[in-house]
Amino acid sequence: DEPPLAGARGRVSGSGVWGPRRPLDRTMEIPLRDWESVDFFEVDNVQRPDEPIAPGNHCLVYGPKESGKTTLLFQHALCVANRDPGARVLFVCKRDAIETRPPLLQRAATLGEGAGRIQMKYLNNDAELRRLGSVMHLLPPEDLPTLIVVDGVTSFFAPAQGGDNREREMRLARTLASLRECADACGAMRSLGVREGEHCLLLASCPADGNHDAPPVQWLWYKWFPSAFGVRQLHDQDAGHAPGVAAQGIVLKHFELKPRRWGVGCISSDPMDDRMGITYSVDRVGGSLVPNGIT
């Protein structure tokens, strides 16, 4: 038998659907932290913090359509998988959406070992999302994810019938509760059965409310996601570029990703100038998402 990890209550065993386990030395206490904008990017001269994100600090990314949210989620998933050989990432999305608008990733980023630790799961509707959350705990602890990513949560829900959104909002509430409980349970089971202190985070995205710089049905997200990041489109002069055109004549869209603070059940109007944001450009024709600077 393999010897148990120092300080762990379980053993590292076997190789499951995610591939063989390679234990990390986590015998030292490590301080915890909040999410940062740099968790979604590789930015020159800006280093990602080494400390792990605090358990239960699940995160929502919201913003306008075609602002690169899927790419941001993939970039974080790859970062987690590349930095921790013991990481297990489950990426949940709709197949047609990901094939129509694939993430704008550099090919080199998808060829490393980390990409092999990301499992794609294609679902079609909110019922399948809830079913996934209800059966995940049946996997062996070593096969449970350390990060669950759900791209475009609201896209799994059919439009409300007859203009009444209450039933749809109730289903959204049940789904978010199921996903949150699933992530927390996965973390608790890995901590008991794999490595003490391990946890599982939930990272999700949704489009912004068309009338506000905020996610739709804010009070629901507020309940289940302690951290939120907003994406807003920048005017060309704000982004420091010539009006909408790159040097090659390709039209670019410029955005800023920045952490947002929750008020009481809604996104606060506080701009959080004390927290770093990152500006970036999206080139759909060339297939790239490029960070430009920090704010």
Side-chain angles (χ1 to χ4, degrees), residues 122-194:
Y122 299 118
L123 301 179
N124 297 307
N125 53 56
D126 60 296
E128 292 182 358
L129 269 179
R130 291 190 296 276
R131 190 176 303 117
L132 177 70
S134 67
V135 301
M136 186 84 72
H137 68 281
L138 299 177
L139 291 172
E142 63 269 20
D143 292 337
L144 293 171
T146 55
L147 174 67
I148 300 173
V149 182
V150 185
D151 183 39
V153 174
T154 52
S155 68
F156 292 93
F157 292 79
Q161 299 295 321
D164 185 358
N165 287 316
R166 287 176 296 179
E167 190 271 338
R168 186 173 187 265
E169 291 175 2
M170 290 177 63
R171 286 190 287 116
L172 176 59
R174 291 197 299 270
T175 303
L176 295 181
S178 175
L179 292 172
R180 168 71 183 258
E181 291 171 3
C182 172
D184 291 342
C186 288
M189 293 176 67
R190 285 187 64 92
S191 183
L192 287 170
V194 183

Coordinates of all heavy atoms in Angstrom, one line a residue, residues 122-194:
Y122 N -21.1 17.7 -21.5 CA -22.1 18.4 -22.3 C -23.5 18.1 -21.8 O -23.9 16.9 -21.7 CB -22.0 18.0 -23.8 CG -20.7 18.3 -24.4 CD1 -19.9 17.3 -24.9 CD2 -20.3 19.7 -24.5 CE1 -18.7 17.6 -25.4 CE2 -19.0 20.0 -25.0 CZ -18.2 19.0 -25.5 OH -17.0 19.2 -26.1
L123 N -24.3 19.1 -21.4 CA -25.7 19.0 -20.9 C -26.6 19.8 -21.8 O -26.1 20.8 -22.5 CB -25.8 19.4 -19.5 CG -24.9 18.5 -18.5 CD1 -25.1 19.1 -17.1 CD2 -25.2 17.1 -18.6
N124 N -27.9 19.6 -21.7 CA -28.8 20.3 -22.6 C -29.8 21.2 -21.9 O -30.3 22.1 -22.5 CB -29.6 19.2 -23.4 CG -28.8 18.4 -24.3 OD1 -28.0 19.0 -25.1 ND2 -28.9 17.1 -24.2
N125 N -30.1 20.9 -20.6 CA -31.1 21.7 -19.9 C -30.9 21.8 -18.4 O -30.0 21.1 -17.9 CB -32.5 21.1 -20.2 CG -32.6 19.7 -19.9 OD1 -32.4 19.2 -18.8 ND2 -33.0 18.9 -20.9
D126 N -31.7 22.5 -17.7 CA -31.5 22.7 -16.3 C -31.8 21.4 -15.5 O -31.1 21.2 -14.4 CB -32.4 23.8 -15.7 CG -33.9 23.6 -16.0 OD1 -34.3 23.5 -17.2 OD2 -34.6 23.5 -15.0
A127 N -32.7 20.6 -15.9 CA -32.9 19.3 -15.2 C -31.7 18.5 -15.2 O -31.3 17.8 -14.2 CB -34.1 18.6 -15.9
E128 N -30.9 18.4 -16.3 CA -29.7 17.7 -16.4 C -28.6 18.3 -15.4 O -27.8 17.6 -14.9 CB -29.2 17.6 -17.8 CG -30.1 16.8 -18.7 CD -29.5 16.6 -20.1 OE1 -28.5 17.2 -20.4 OE2 -30.2 15.9 -20.9
L129 N -28.6 19.6 -15.3 CA -27.7 20.3 -14.4 C -28.0 19.8 -13.0 O -27.0 19.5 -12.2 CB -27.8 21.8 -14.5 CG -26.9 22.5 -15.5 CD1 -27.3 24.0 -15.4 CD2 -25.5 22.3 -15.2
R130 N -29.2 19.8 -12.6 CA -29.6 19.4 -11.2 C -29.3 17.9 -11.0 O -28.8 17.5 -9.9 CB -31.1 19.7 -10.9 CG -31.4 21.2 -10.8 CD -32.8 21.4 -10.3 NE -33.8 20.9 -11.2 CZ -34.3 21.6 -12.3 NH1 -33.8 22.8 -12.5 NH2 -35.2 21.1 -13.0
R131 N -29.5 17.1 -12.0 CA -29.2 15.7 -11.9 C -27.7 15.4 -11.7 O -27.3 14.6 -10.9 CB -29.7 14.9 -13.1 CG -29.7 13.4 -13.0 CD -30.3 12.7 -14.2 NE -31.7 13.2 -14.5 CZ -32.0 13.9 -15.6 NH1 -31.2 14.1 -16.5 NH2 -33.3 14.2 -15.7
L132 N -26.9 16.2 -12.4 CA -25.5 16.1 -12.3 C -25.1 16.4 -10.8 O -24.3 15.7 -10.2 CB -24.8 17.0 -13.2 CG -23.2 17.1 -13.1 CD1 -22.6 15.8 -13.6 CD2 -22.7 18.3 -13.9
G133 N -25.6 17.5 -10.3 CA -25.3 17.9 -8.9 C -25.7 16.9 -7.9 O -25.1 16.7 -6.8
S134 N -26.8 16.1 -8.2 CA -27.3 15.2 -7.2 C -26.6 13.8 -7.2 O -26.7 13.1 -6.2 CB -28.8 14.9 -7.5 OG -29.0 14.3 -8.7
V135 N -25.9 13.5 -8.3 CA -25.2 12.2 -8.3 C -23.7 12.2 -8.3 O -23.0 11.2 -8.2 CB -25.6 11.4 -9.6 CG1 -27.1 11.3 -9.7 CG2 -25.1 12.1 -10.9
M136 N -23.1 13.4 -8.3 CA -21.7 13.6 -8.3 C -21.0 12.9 -7.1 O -19.9 12.3 -7.2 CB -21.3 15.1 -8.3 CG -19.8 15.3 -8.5 SD -19.3 15.3 -10.2 CE -20.0 16.8 -10.7
H137 N -21.7 12.9 -5.9 CA -21.1 12.4 -4.7 C -20.9 10.8 -4.8 O -20.2 10.3 -3.9 CB -22.0 12.7 -3.5 CG -23.3 12.0 -3.5 ND1 -24.3 12.5 -4.3 CD2 -23.7 10.9 -2.9 CE1 -25.4 11.7 -4.1 NE2 -25.1 10.7 -3.3
L138 N -21.5 10.2 -5.8 CA -21.4 8.7 -5.9 C -20.0 8.3 -6.5 O -19.6 7.1 -6.4 CB -22.5 8.2 -6.9 CG -23.9 8.4 -6.4 CD1 -24.9 7.9 -7.4 CD2 -24.2 7.8 -5.0
L139 N -19.2 9.3 -7.0 CA -17.9 8.9 -7.5 C -17.0 8.7 -6.3 O -17.2 9.2 -5.2 CB -17.4 10.1 -8.3 CG -18.0 10.3 -9.7 CD1 -17.4 11.6 -10.3 CD2 -17.7 9.2 -10.7
P140 N -15.9 7.9 -6.5 CA -14.9 7.8 -5.5 C -14.2 9.2 -5.2 O -14.2 10.0 -6.1 CB -13.8 6.8 -6.1 CG -14.6 6.2 -7.2 CD -15.6 7.1 -7.7
P141 N -13.8 9.4 -4.0 CA -13.3 10.7 -3.6 C -12.2 11.2 -4.5 O -12.1 12.4 -4.9 CB -12.8 10.5 -2.2 CG -13.6 9.5 -1.6 CD -13.9 8.5 -2.8
E142 N -11.3 10.3 -5.0 CA -10.2 10.7 -5.8 C -10.6 11.1 -7.2 O -9.8 11.7 -8.0 CB -9.1 9.6 -5.9 CG -9.6 8.3 -6.6 CD -10.1 7.3 -5.6 OE1 -10.5 7.7 -4.4 OE2 -10.2 6.1 -5.9
D143 N -11.8 10.8 -7.6 CA -12.3 11.1 -8.9 C -13.2 12.4 -8.9 O -13.7 12.8 -9.9 CB -13.1 10.0 -9.5 CG -12.3 8.8 -9.9 OD1 -11.0 9.0 -10.1 OD2 -12.8 7.6 -10.0
L144 N -13.4 12.9 -7.7 CA -14.3 14.1 -7.6 C -13.5 15.3 -8.0 O -12.3 15.4 -7.9 CB -14.7 14.3 -6.2 CG -15.7 13.2 -5.7 CD1 -15.9 13.4 -4.2 CD2 -17.0 13.3 -6.4
P145 N -14.2 16.3 -8.6 CA -13.4 17.5 -9.1 C -13.0 18.4 -8.0 O -13.6 18.5 -6.9 CB -14.5 18.2 -10.0 CG -15.8 17.8 -9.4 CD -15.6 16.4 -8.9
T146 N -12.0 19.2 -8.2 CA -11.5 20.3 -7.3 C -12.0 21.6 -7.9 O -12.0 22.6 -7.2 CB -10.0 20.3 -7.2 OG1 -9.4 20.5 -8.5 CG2 -9.5 19.1 -6.5
L147 N -12.5 21.7 -9.1 CA -13.1 22.9 -9.7 C -14.2 22.4 -10.6 O -14.0 21.6 -11.5 CB -12.1 23.7 -10.5 CG -12.6 24.9 -11.3 CD1 -13.1 26.0 -10.3 CD2 -11.5 25.4 -12.2
I148 N -15.4 23.0 -10.4 CA -16.6 22.8 -11.3 C -16.8 24.1 -12.0 O -17.1 25.1 -11.4 CB -17.8 22.3 -10.6 CG1 -17.5 21.0 -9.8 CG2 -19.0 22.1 -11.5 CD1 -18.7 20.6 -8.9
V149 N -16.8 24.1 -13.4 CA -17.0 25.3 -14.2 C -18.3 25.0 -15.0 O -18.5 24.0 -15.6 CB -15.9 25.5 -15.2 CG1 -16.1 26.8 -15.9 CG2 -14.5 25.6 -14.4
V150 N -19.2 26.0 -14.9 CA -20.5 25.9 -15.6 C -20.6 27.2 -16.5 O -20.7 28.3 -16.0 CB -21.7 25.8 -14.7 CG1 -23.0 25.6 -15.5 CG2 -21.6 24.7 -13.7
D151 N -20.5 27.0 -17.8 CA -20.4 28.1 -18.7 C -21.9 28.4 -19.2 O -22.6 27.5 -19.7 CB -19.6 27.7 -19.9 CG -19.5 28.8 -20.9 OD1 -19.3 30.0 -20.5 OD2 -19.5 28.5 -22.2
G152 N -22.3 29.7 -19.0 CA -23.6 30.1 -19.5 C -24.7 29.4 -18.7 O -25.6 28.7 -19.4
V153 N -24.8 29.6 -17.4 CA -25.8 28.8 -16.6 C -27.2 29.1 -17.2 O -28.0 28.1 -17.3 CB -25.7 29.3 -15.2 CG1 -26.9 28.6 -14.4 CG2 -24.4 28.9 -14.6
T154 N -27.6 30.3 -17.4 CA -28.9 30.6 -17.8 C -29.3 30.1 -19.2 O -30.5 30.0 -19.5 CB -29.2 32.1 -17.8 OG1 -28.2 32.8 -18.6 CG2 -29.1 32.7 -16.4
S155 N -28.3 29.7 -20.0 CA -28.6 29.1 -21.3 C -29.2 27.8 -21.2 O -29.8 27.3 -22.2 CB -27.3 29.1 -22.2 OG -26.4 28.1 -21.7
F156 N -29.1 27.1 -20.1 CA -29.7 25.8 -19.9 C -31.2 25.9 -19.6 O -31.9 24.8 -19.5 CB -29.0 25.1 -18.8 CG -27.6 24.7 -19.0 CD1 -26.6 25.5 -18.7 CD2 -27.3 23.5 -19.7 CE1 -25.3 25.2 -18.9 CE2 -26.0 23.1 -20.0 CZ -25.0 24.0 -19.6
F157 N -31.8 27.1 -19.4 CA -33.2 27.3 -19.1 C -34.0 27.8 -20.3 O -33.6 28.7 -20.9 CB -33.3 28.3 -17.9 CG -32.7 27.8 -16.6 CD1 -31.3 27.8 -16.4 CD2 -33.5 27.3 -15.6 CE1 -30.8 27.4 -15.2 CE2 -33.0 26.8 -14.4 CZ -31.6 26.9 -14.2
A158 N -35.1 27.1 -20.5 CA -36.0 27.5 -21.6 C -36.6 28.8 -21.2 O -36.8 29.1 -20.0 CB -37.0 26.4 -21.9
P159 N -37.0 29.7 -22.2 CA -37.7 30.9 -21.9 C -39.0 30.7 -21.1 O -39.6 29.7 -21.3 CB -37.9 31.5 -23.3 CG -37.0 30.9 -24.2 CD -36.7 29.5 -23.7
A160 N -39.3 31.7 -20.3 CA -40.5 31.6 -19.5 C -41.7 31.6 -20.4 O -41.8 32.3 -21.4 CB -40.6 32.8 -18.5
Q161 N -42.7 30.7 -20.0 CA -43.9 30.7 -20.8 C -44.9 31.7 -20.3 O -45.1 31.9 -19.2 CB -44.6 29.3 -20.6 CG -43.7 28.1 -21.1 CD -43.5 28.1 -22.6 OE1 -44.4 28.4 -23.3 NE2 -42.3 27.8 -23.0
G162 N -45.5 32.4 -21.3 CA -46.5 33.4 -21.0 C -46.0 34.6 -20.3 O -46.8 35.4 -19.7
G163 N -44.7 34.9 -20.3 CA -44.1 36.1 -19.7 C -44.0 36.0 -18.2 O -43.6 37.0 -17.6
D164 N -44.3 34.9 -17.6 CA -44.2 34.8 -16.1 C -42.9 34.1 -15.8 O -42.7 32.9 -16.1 CB -45.4 33.9 -15.6 CG -45.4 33.9 -14.1 OD1 -44.5 34.5 -13.5 OD2 -46.3 33.3 -13.5
N165 N -42.0 34.9 -15.2 CA -40.6 34.4 -14.9 C -40.5 33.7 -13.6 O -39.5 33.2 -13.3 CB -39.6 35.6 -15.0 CG -39.4 36.1 -16.4 OD1 -39.2 35.3 -17.3 ND2 -39.4 37.4 -16.5
R166 N -41.6 33.7 -12.8 CA -41.4 33.1 -11.4 C -41.1 31.7 -11.4 O -40.2 31.3 -10.6 CB -42.7 33.4 -10.6 CG -43.0 34.8 -10.2 CD -44.3 35.0 -9.6 NE -45.4 34.7 -10.5 CZ -46.7 34.8 -10.2 NH1 -47.0 35.1 -8.9 NH2 -47.6 34.5 -11.0
E167 N -41.7 30.9 -12.2 CA -41.4 29.4 -12.3 C -40.0 29.2 -12.7 O -39.2 28.4 -12.2 CB -42.4 28.7 -13.2 CG -42.3 27.2 -13.1 CD -41.3 26.6 -14.1 OE1 -41.0 27.3 -15.1 OE2 -40.9 25.5 -13.8
R168 N -39.5 30.0 -13.7 CA -38.1 29.8 -14.2 C -37.1 30.3 -13.1 O -36.1 29.6 -13.0 CB -38.0 30.7 -15.5 CG -36.6 30.6 -16.2 CD -36.6 31.4 -17.5 NE -35.5 31.1 -18.3 CZ -34.4 31.9 -18.3 NH1 -34.3 32.9 -17.5 NH2 -33.3 31.6 -19.0
E169 N -37.5 31.3 -12.4 CA -36.6 31.7 -11.3 C -36.5 30.7 -10.2 O -35.4 30.5 -9.6 CB -37.0 33.1 -10.8 CG -36.8 34.2 -11.7 CD -37.4 35.5 -11.2 OE1 -38.0 35.6 -10.1 OE2 -37.4 36.6 -12.0
M170 N -37.6 30.0 -9.9 CA -37.6 29.0 -8.9 C -36.7 27.8 -9.4 O -35.9 27.3 -8.6 CB -39.0 28.5 -8.7 CG -39.9 29.5 -7.9 SD -41.6 28.9 -7.7 CE -41.3 27.5 -6.7
R171 N -36.8 27.5 -10.7 CA -35.9 26.4 -11.2 C -34.4 26.8 -11.1 O -33.5 26.0 -10.8 CB -36.3 26.0 -12.6 CG -37.6 25.2 -12.6 CD -37.8 24.6 -14.0 NE -38.2 25.6 -15.0 CZ -37.6 26.0 -16.0 NH1 -36.4 25.4 -16.3 NH2 -38.0 26.9 -16.9
L172 N -34.2 28.1 -11.4 CA -32.8 28.6 -11.3 C -32.3 28.5 -9.9 O -31.2 28.1 -9.7 CB -32.7 30.1 -11.9 CG -31.4 30.8 -11.7 CD1 -30.3 30.0 -12.5 CD2 -31.5 32.2 -12.3
A173 N -33.1 28.9 -8.9 CA -32.7 28.8 -7.5 C -32.4 27.4 -7.1 O -31.4 27.2 -6.4 CB -33.9 29.4 -6.7
R174 N -33.2 26.5 -7.5 CA -33.0 25.1 -7.2 C -31.7 24.6 -7.8 O -30.9 23.8 -7.2 CB -34.2 24.2 -7.6 CG -35.4 24.4 -6.8 CD -36.4 23.2 -7.0 NE -36.8 23.1 -8.4 CZ -37.8 23.7 -9.0 NH1 -38.6 24.5 -8.3 NH2 -38.1 23.4 -10.2
T175 N -31.4 25.0 -9.1 CA -30.2 24.6 -9.8 C -29.0 25.1 -9.1 O -28.0 24.4 -8.9 CB -30.3 25.0 -11.2 OG1 -31.5 24.4 -11.8 CG2 -29.1 24.5 -12.0
L176 N -29.0 26.4 -8.8 CA -27.8 27.0 -8.2 C -27.6 26.4 -6.8 O -26.4 26.2 -6.4 CB -28.0 28.5 -8.0 CG -28.1 29.3 -9.3 CD1 -28.3 30.8 -9.0 CD2 -26.9 29.1 -10.2
A177 N -28.6 26.1 -6.1 CA -28.5 25.5 -4.8 C -27.9 24.1 -4.9 O -27.0 23.7 -4.2 CB -29.8 25.4 -4.0
S178 N -28.3 23.3 -5.9 CA -27.8 22.0 -6.2 C -26.3 22.0 -6.6 O -25.5 21.2 -6.1 CB -28.6 21.3 -7.3 OG -28.1 20.1 -7.6
L179 N -25.9 23.0 -7.4 CA -24.5 23.1 -7.8 C -23.6 23.5 -6.7 O -22.5 23.0 -6.5 CB -24.4 24.1 -9.0 CG -25.1 23.7 -10.3 CD1 -25.0 24.8 -11.3 CD2 -24.3 22.5 -10.9
R180 N -24.1 24.4 -5.9 CA -23.3 24.9 -4.7 C -23.1 23.8 -3.7 O -22.0 23.5 -3.2 CB -24.1 26.1 -4.1 CG -23.5 26.5 -2.7 CD -22.2 27.2 -2.8 NE -21.7 27.5 -1.5 CZ -21.7 28.7 -0.9 NH1 -22.2 29.7 -1.6 NH2 -21.2 28.9 0.3
E181 N -24.2 23.0 -3.4 CA -24.1 21.9 -2.5 C -23.2 20.8 -3.1 O -22.5 20.2 -2.3 CB -25.5 21.4 -2.2 CG -26.3 22.3 -1.4 CD -27.8 21.9 -1.2 OE1 -28.1 20.8 -1.7 OE2 -28.6 22.6 -0.6
C182 N -23.3 20.6 -4.4 CA -22.4 19.6 -5.0 C -21.0 20.0 -4.8 O -20.1 19.1 -4.5 CB -22.8 19.5 -6.5 SG -21.7 18.4 -7.4
A183 N -20.6 21.2 -5.1 CA -19.2 21.6 -5.0 C -18.7 21.5 -3.5 O -17.6 21.0 -3.3 CB -19.1 23.1 -5.5
D184 N -19.5 22.0 -2.6 CA -19.1 21.9 -1.2 C -19.0 20.4 -0.8 O -18.0 20.1 0.0 CB -20.2 22.6 -0.3 CG -20.2 24.1 -0.5 OD1 -19.2 24.6 -1.0 OD2 -21.2 24.7 -0.1
A185 N -19.9 19.5 -1.2 CA -19.8 18.1 -0.9 C -18.5 17.5 -1.5 O -17.9 16.7 -0.8 CB -21.0 17.4 -1.3
C186 N -18.2 17.8 -2.7 CA -17.0 17.3 -3.4 C -15.8 17.7 -2.6 O -14.9 16.8 -2.4 CB -16.9 17.8 -4.8 SG -18.1 17.0 -6.0
G187 N -15.7 18.9 -2.2 CA -14.6 19.4 -1.4 C -14.5 18.6 -0.1 O -13.4 18.2 0.3
A188 N -15.6 18.4 0.6 CA -15.6 17.7 1.9 C -15.1 16.3 1.8 O -14.3 15.8 2.6 CB -16.9 17.8 2.6
M189 N -15.6 15.6 0.7 CA -15.3 14.2 0.5 C -13.8 14.1 0.1 O -13.1 13.1 0.5 CB -16.2 13.6 -0.6 CG -17.6 13.5 -0.1 SD -18.7 12.9 -1.4 CE -18.1 11.2 -1.6
R190 N -13.3 15.0 -0.7 CA -11.9 14.9 -1.1 C -11.0 15.2 0.2 O -9.9 14.6 0.3 CB -11.5 15.9 -2.2 CG -12.0 15.5 -3.6 CD -11.5 16.5 -4.6 NE -10.1 16.4 -4.7 CZ -9.4 15.6 -5.6 NH1 -10.1 14.8 -6.4 NH2 -8.1 15.6 -5.6
S191 N -11.4 16.1 1.0 CA -10.6 16.4 2.2 C -10.6 15.2 3.1 O -9.5 14.9 3.8 CB -11.3 17.6 3.0 OG -10.5 17.9 4.1
L192 N -11.6 14.4 3.2 CA -11.7 13.2 4.0 C -10.9 12.0 3.4 O -10.3 11.2 4.1 CB -13.1 12.8 4.3 CG -13.9 13.6 5.3 CD1 -15.3 13.3 5.3 CD2 -13.3 13.5 6.7
G193 N -11.1 11.9 2.1 CA -10.6 10.7 1.4 C -9.4 10.8 0.6 O -8.8 9.8 0.1
V194 N -8.9 12.0 0.3 CA -7.7 12.2 -0.5 C -6.6 13.0 0.2 O -5.6 12.5 0.5 CB -8.1 12.9 -1.9 CG1 -6.9 13.0 -2.8 CG2 -9.2 12.1 -2.6

